[in-house]
Amino acid sequence: MASKAMVPFLVAMMLLTGVCNTLLSKYQDLQCVRNCDSSDPDRIERFSQPVVQTAQMFIGEMGCWLVIAGFAIYRRFSAKDAPLLHGGYEQVDSEDSTEVDAEDDLDRTGPTQEEADAIMKPVIPNVDERTPLVGWRVFLLSVPACCDVAATTLMNVGLLFVAASIYQMTRGALILFVGLFSVIFLHRKIFLYQWSALFIVVLGVAIVGLAGAIAPNPQAEPEPPSLTETALLVVREVSQQVRTAAFSAGALKTVLGVLMIAGAQIFTATQFVTEEWILENYALEPLKVVGWEGVFGFLVTL
């Protein structure tokens, strides 16, 4: 029950941190670093360091080791008093077991086994039949880490050319590649209605990219008063706008950025599928998985 109650919180935090990551990265890109007082916009230089931003991400992932170390220290000093926190129990004599059970029933203020497992799951080794991911096997995590380096760097470069909203929407193409790779490499089965949903999402991503190319500054145009007029306006002028936008430097940059972000999703999908295969066959604490990928990714980025 405790683990199920955490799911909405984790999903909400994933969405919040993902949005904050995009907005902060775009804000960082817009910061002026040289010739900020120049009257010529072409001479103003802004922060354009996608590789540095990639390294920042892996530094954050390596921060998981601080959490792991903190839990290890906590468990070391509290294991004797709270055995549930390290996934075990203290053996008692059989003649005292009845008395201990009675005391536990009267005074049970600590966490249950299920609650303790849910809280400590990210830092407790998985107990199942999978092979522990130790020794040289840890280097298997370098494969998804390298994919993450390529994907994150491409997306950071693409973010230089597009608005944050287009960037976030274009990343939705990820689910199509994940679905394809899951079927091909993991032999998953995806039903027809699921394929239909995937292609609808990708169609929406394509429309967003096209809108960014033909209308790079929609705020400059007055909005039509109704949805019908909007549809008629798009149908009537789309060909003319595409021809005009094809010769616009801003539109070309937007198209290039969208293509780079969409192409990066191939590497991200490879990362996800590889991680799924590794975690299906090997057991390792989730925080250590992130920590090791941070280490490998940072070394590759350097």
Side-chain angles (χ1 to χ4, degrees), residues 232-290:
L232 293 175
L233 179 64
V234 170
V235 172
R236 185 175 61 251
E237 298 183 359
V238 64
S239 59
Q240 179 181 355
Q241 289 180 345
V242 170
R243 287 195 299 269
T244 304
F247 300 98
S248 170
L252 291 176
K253 289 182 178 180
T254 300
V255 172
L256 177 61
V258 169
L259 292 177
M260 295 184 72
I261 297 168
Q265 306 316 304
I266 298 176
F267 294 100
T268 304
T270 305
Q271 173 196 349
F272 287 176
V273 172
T274 305
E275 287 174 340
E276 183 176 352
W277 179 84
I278 292 174
L279 295 179
E280 278 185 349
N281 295 277
Y282 299 96
L284 187 66
E285 301 91 312
L287 279 181
K288 286 188 178 180
V289 173
V290 179

Side-chain angles (χ1 to χ4, degrees), residues 43-104:
R43 295 189 57 190
I44 298 177
E45 297 184 18
R46 303 188 183 277
F47 183 87
S48 300
Q49 300 293 334
V51 178
V52 173
Q53 292 176 323
T54 302
Q56 291 174 349
M57 183 194 69
F58 287 115
I59 291 174
E61 291 185 4
M62 288 191 294
C64 290
W65 290 109
L66 298 176
V67 180
I68 294 171
F71 272 109
I73 295 173
Y74 175 76
R75 290 169 58 194
R76 181 180 181 86
F77 289 100
S78 64
K80 294 183 179 179
D81 297 332
L84 288 177
L85 292 180
H86 60 84
Y89 62 90
E90 291 182 355
Q91 184 177 1
V92 296
D93 295 335
S94 58
E95 60 184 10
D96 297 333
S97 59
T98 304
E99 181 180 353
V100 172
D101 292 340
E103 292 177 355
D104 289 343

Side-chain angles (χ1 to χ4, degrees), residues 116-279:
D117 290 345
I119 295 172
M120 302 297 292
K121 186 176 181 179
V123 291
I124 292 179
N126 299 299
V127 182
D128 52 26
E129 297 180 354
R130 290 178 294 171
T131 304
L133 191 64
V134 295
W136 65 268
R137 295 185 180 90
V138 171
F139 286 93
L140 291 173
L141 294 173
S142 63
V143 177
C146 291
C147 294
D148 201 4
V149 171
T152 304
T153 304
L154 279 174
M155 288 190 291
N156 287 336
V157 174
L159 185 58
L160 296 173
F161 304 131
V162 301
S165 57
I166 296 178
Y167 168 87
Q168 198 72 12
M169 290 293 295
T170 307
R171 293 182 63 182
L174 171 64
I175 62 174
L176 176 62
F177 296 113
V178 172
L180 288 173
F181 293 169
S182 297
V183 171
I184 295 173
F185 299 109
L186 299 180
H187 306 291
R188 298 287 189 264
K189 184 177 181 180
I190 298 180
F191 297 99
L192 179 60
Y193 72 91
Q194 294 172 323
W195 282 116
S196 301
L198 291 178
F199 282 106
I200 290 174
V201 171
V202 173
L203 178 62
V205 171
I207 293 175
V208 170
L210 178 62
I214 65 178
N217 186 20
Q219 288 81 6
E221 299 290 338
E223 294 186 359
S226 67
L227 183 61
T228 302
E229 293 186 16
T230 302
L232 293 175
L233 179 64
V234 170
V235 172
R236 185 175 61 251
E237 298 183 359
V238 64
S239 59
Q240 179 181 355
Q241 289 180 345
V242 170
R243 287 195 299 269
T244 304
F247 300 98
S248 170
L252 291 176
K253 289 182 178 180
T254 300
V255 172
L256 177 61
V258 169
L259 292 177
M260 295 184 72
I261 297 168
Q265 306 316 304
I266 298 176
F267 294 100
T268 304
T270 305
Q271 173 196 349
F272 287 176
V273 172
T274 305
E275 287 174 340
E276 183 176 352
W277 179 84
I278 292 174
L279 295 179

